[in-house]
Amino acid sequence: MNLLQDDQSVAPETLLVGAHARLMALEDCVPMLVSPDSRRPLFLEDGCLTDGERSYALREGLPLLFPERLRAFFTDRLAVPFEHSRAQFLQYFLLATIKQSGDVNAPASSLPFHRHLARARDFLQTCRGTLLDVGCDDPALSAALLSPEVSYVGLDPFCARAEPFRVIGVGEFLPFADASFDNVLFNTSLDHIMDWHLAVDEAVRVLRPGGRLVILSYVWTERADLLNDTVHFHHFRDYEVLGKIGEVGLKVEEELRYVCPKDDTHRHELFVRAVRP
């Protein structure tokens, strides 16, 4: 397999002062928002979002759009207590809570992270229109990877800083209407979602015809066991990511493979852009 090798890198502070995508605000997103429980459109009423039956709070201006069974477990992040480990639905998100408590995979000050940022910025420059970033972490930094011709909103279940704006929710229950976005991005976040198949299905649902799914992820060629991994749910193989894209009826437009930014030989980076017919 031929892997691209480059030495370019860019620090977050450099990206943040450059031209970047427009960060959407709550008023921009409301016409696209739906209940994660009923899928009915949401509207603002008395300082919260409602579908006419269920209400969803705003926390410092950020919409908390978890399924109803999860809302009680969000404080400054989603954290399901262990005593709910026997309840099937809550057990699932308890496991996500545990994984999220692991060490950061690549600190923001590290050279591997800076290498990934430079590669991601280059790959994402063709994006245009609206973009949903699933697992966004810091929306300001993620938006700095994108062209000013992009209108950006991030979604994350764990990151509750009031600024900049994002939607608080989970990738398995995207609180957006069908065919809402021109692009959906998973930037090294898909392997943190246990039911990644459902997350991709949801991403395709909210994509407009002609819209693009973009996945930036590590893939493994050997030593793919998870026994010593405290952060990820998956160590993808190349065929798993590409096979899922084909399964949901998308057509790959571009795929690039880079040498691992940490210089590991048992895995590399896979960047894929696929279009919804």
Side-chain angles (χ1 to χ4, degrees), residues 59-264:
R59 178 78 59 84
E60 297 186 76
L62 305 182
L64 303 184
L65 295 180
F66 293 111
E68 196 166 29
R69 286 177 285 177
L70 284 180
R71 281 189 278 166
F73 306 111
F74 184 86
T75 52
D76 60 341
R77 63 193 295 273
L78 180 63
V80 176
F82 185 76
E83 57 262 31
H84 295 283
S85 61
R86 288 182 172 271
Q88 183 177 3
F89 183 83
L90 295 179
Q91 181 188 71
Y92 176 96
F93 287 99
L94 168 60
L95 293 172
T97 299
I98 293 169
K99 280 292 186 181
Q100 182 62 22
S101 66
D103 295 333
V104 175
N105 195 35
S109 60
S110 67
L111 179 58
F113 183 64
H114 296 179
R115 285 175 173 170
H116 172 78
L117 289 178
R119 295 169 179 179
R121 178 189 57 186
D122 289 350
F123 193 75
L124 294 171
Q125 285 306 298
T126 59
C127 293
R128 297 291 184 271
T130 53
L131 182 143
L132 171 63
D133 182 8
V134 181
C136 63
D137 191 21
D138 181 357
L141 180 57
S142 297
L145 298 171
L146 297 155
S147 158
E149 297 178 54
V150 172
S151 294
Y152 170 99
V153 65
L155 176 138
D156 201 289
F158 299 108
C159 179
R161 296 184 295 271
E163 293 291 339
F165 176 81
R166 74 193 63 77
V167 174
I168 306 299
V170 292
E172 299 92 335
F173 296 89
L174 292 179
F176 297 96
D178 295 358
S180 296
F181 290 95
D182 298 304
N183 308 271
V184 177
L185 169 65
F186 293 95
N187 182 6
T188 67
S189 59
L190 192 59
D191 50 3
H192 293 269
I193 301 175
M194 186 161 68
D195 194 345
W196 69 280
H197 287 278
L198 179 56
V200 172
D201 292 344
E202 279 287 275
V204 174
R205 177 183 65 80
V206 304
L207 269 181
R208 294 171 179 149
R212 286 159 174 81
L213 174 67
V214 183
I215 298 174
L216 314 182
S217 182
Y218 283 111
V219 296
W220 270 249
T221 53
E222 56 181 313
R223 293 163 48 196
D225 63 274
L226 285 160
L227 295 176
N228 296 309
D229 192 315
T230 62
V231 178
H232 303 99
F233 278 119
H234 309 286
H235 288 171
F236 291 130
R237 281 67 163 180
D238 198 277
Y239 64 83
E240 291 180 288
V241 177
L242 296 176
K244 180 62 181 180
I245 288 172
E247 175 191 307
V248 295
L250 273 58
K251 181 179 179 181
V252 173
E253 281 190 330
E254 185 175 12
E255 54 185 281
L256 298 178
R257 291 169 182 81
Y258 284 98
V259 169
C260 176
K262 296 183 177 182
D263 297 322
D264 296 332

